[in-house]
């Protein structure tokens, strides 16, 4: 490789920053209009620039645009094509700006558009979950701690746990969006410009809340991308946990849910298998998303103000991470819609493992006035007894229980079934079917108000 070839290869970003094209063109149009308005360029030139940029947008959309690596990046590719199309007026577009504030603006527009799309996608996933939760608000399944059966819960309650998590994810993206929504354009290379620009006008045209207040900061921070990637990593972690549960539930050992072959694959040599590939891949995406957060953090660490070319390394991994999260969200949404719970398998698993032991302890406290610690101890002995006889708790005889604690009466049987256990969990946020139904409906209403259909 010649030095020129090496330089082109290491310096060019067009291979990935072409994804900024629509934003680059939009921002340039707003900039040119403002320059014209302010009399910095002629109205006629501003018009020519706008028309040329529109043509370029069309060429890119139709796949006709020829991206050239020799022109380094999207900004120079667009400007060079503009020169072909409209001649000298093209050279006036770059007045009172630099590629530094230009790329900071484009990247913000890109991340902002992604946040808006991701928010809608997350809301759709919440809706799918809330609808499933409403349909299965009373379906009994084991709740786990340490992945050991702990207490029965309802399937609806379990699904609504994810609706809450996704709600916070959306909140994090909304917060990031607020701080992101300031316009860098007009900061020029690093120090501002001597031209009488109107940054407020450009900000309005590009739907930013205001122009950034410090030109050095504006061209050289990427915290908006980092914040979005941090929120994306957390959201991806949530999806990963849910995906892992689907993988577990799909095993014959659990058998809690069935997924159709729309989201599973068969094995080429084992015909009985149904592999949850989509869930596994959604589970894995958090890897590259969290890596992108780390990657960008390390790129930015220790960079002196203002712009440095290091920052060109901000885009590729961010684009990849954000696209990956979007795909994981829609994959999970598809699987939630597709998923059919197996009520018998869930009920059977919920009945095993002495999962209503806490209900016995609570009964002893409520009916006999026992301190909880003591009730816990007595219950432990009852469970040991059942275990030694190979019985479930509701199969134990009353005399057998009375041998452990004489004051136990037959109405204890009312709390021994998983159904009565979940029904009793009426505390706010608890798993009682009536709670779950109410919560699911409240979420559906809230999401409908936000314009989510299904
Ligand atoms: N392609 C560059 C980037 O992504 C654009 C900014 C170039 N600025 C400069 N001073 N060389 O960062």
């Amino acid at each position: 490789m010649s030095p020129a070839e090496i330089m082109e290869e290491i310096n060019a970003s067009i291979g990935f920053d072409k994804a900024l094209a629509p934003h680059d063109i939009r921002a340039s149009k707003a900039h040119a209009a403002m320059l014209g308005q302010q009399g910095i360029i002629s109205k006629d030139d501003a018009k020519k620039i706008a028309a040329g940029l529109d043509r370029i947008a069309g060429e890119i959309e139709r796949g006709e645009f020829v991206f050239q690596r020799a022109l380094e990046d999207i900004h120079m590719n667009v400007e060079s094509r503009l020169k072909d199309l409209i001649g000298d007026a093209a050279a006036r577009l770059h007045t009172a700006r630099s590629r530094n504030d230009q790329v900071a603006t484009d990247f913000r527009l890109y991340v902002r558009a992604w946040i808006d799309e991701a928010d809608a996608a997350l809301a759709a996933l919440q809706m799918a979950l809330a609808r499933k939760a409403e349909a299965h608000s009373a379906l009994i399944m084991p709740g786990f701690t340490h992945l050991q059966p702990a207490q029965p819960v309802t399937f609806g309650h379990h699904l609504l746990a994810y609706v809450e998590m996704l709600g916070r994810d959306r909140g994090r993206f909304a917060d990031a969006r607020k701080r992101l929504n300031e316009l860098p354009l007009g900061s020029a290379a690093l120090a501002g410009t001597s031209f009488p620009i109107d940054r407020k006008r450009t900000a309005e045209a590009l739907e930013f809340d205001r122009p950034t207040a410090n030109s050095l900061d504006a061209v050289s921070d990427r915290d908006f991308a980092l914040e979005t990637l941090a929120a994306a990593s957390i959201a991806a972690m949530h999806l990963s946990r849910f995906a892992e549960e689907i993988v577990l539930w799909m095993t014959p050992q659990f058998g809690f849910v069935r997924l159709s072959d729309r989201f599973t694959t068969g094995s080429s040599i084992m015909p009985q298998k149904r592999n949850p590939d989509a869930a596994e891949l959604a589970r894995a995406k958090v890897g590259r998303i969290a890596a992108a957060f780390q990657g960008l953090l390390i790129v930015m660490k220790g960079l002196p103000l203002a712009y440095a070319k290091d920052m060109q390394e901000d885009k590729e991994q961010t684009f990849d991470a954000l696209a990956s999260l979007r795909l994981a969200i829609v994959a999970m949404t598809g699987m939630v819609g597709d998923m059919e719970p197996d009520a018998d398998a869930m009920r059977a698993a919920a009945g095993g493992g002495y999962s209503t032991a806490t209900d016995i302890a609570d009964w002893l406290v409520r009916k006999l006035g026992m301190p909880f610690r003591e009730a816990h101890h007595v219950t432990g002995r009852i469970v040991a007894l059942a275990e030694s006889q190979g019985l479930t708790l509701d199969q134990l005889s009353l005399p057998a229980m009375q041998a452990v604690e004489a004051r136990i009466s037959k109405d204890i049987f009312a709390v021994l079934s998983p159904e009565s256990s979940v029904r009793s969990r009426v505390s706010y946020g608890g798993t009682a079917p009536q709670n779950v139904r109410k919560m699911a409906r409240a979420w559906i209403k809230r999401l409908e108000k936000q314009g989510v259909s299904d």
Side-chain angles (χ1 to χ4, degrees), residues 11-12 15 19 44 118 121 152 212 240 268 299 344 395 444:
N11 205 32
D44 188 47
T212 50
S240 183
S268 48
V299 165
D344 293 339
Q395 289 167 342
I444 290 168

Side-chain angles (χ1 to χ4, degrees), residues 139-159:
L139 183 62
I140 304 281
M141 70 178 283
F144 298 88
T145 61
H146 311 270
L147 199 52
Q148 305 286 326
Q151 294 174 354
V153 295
T154 73
F155 187 49
H157 195 54
H158 196 111
L159 296 179

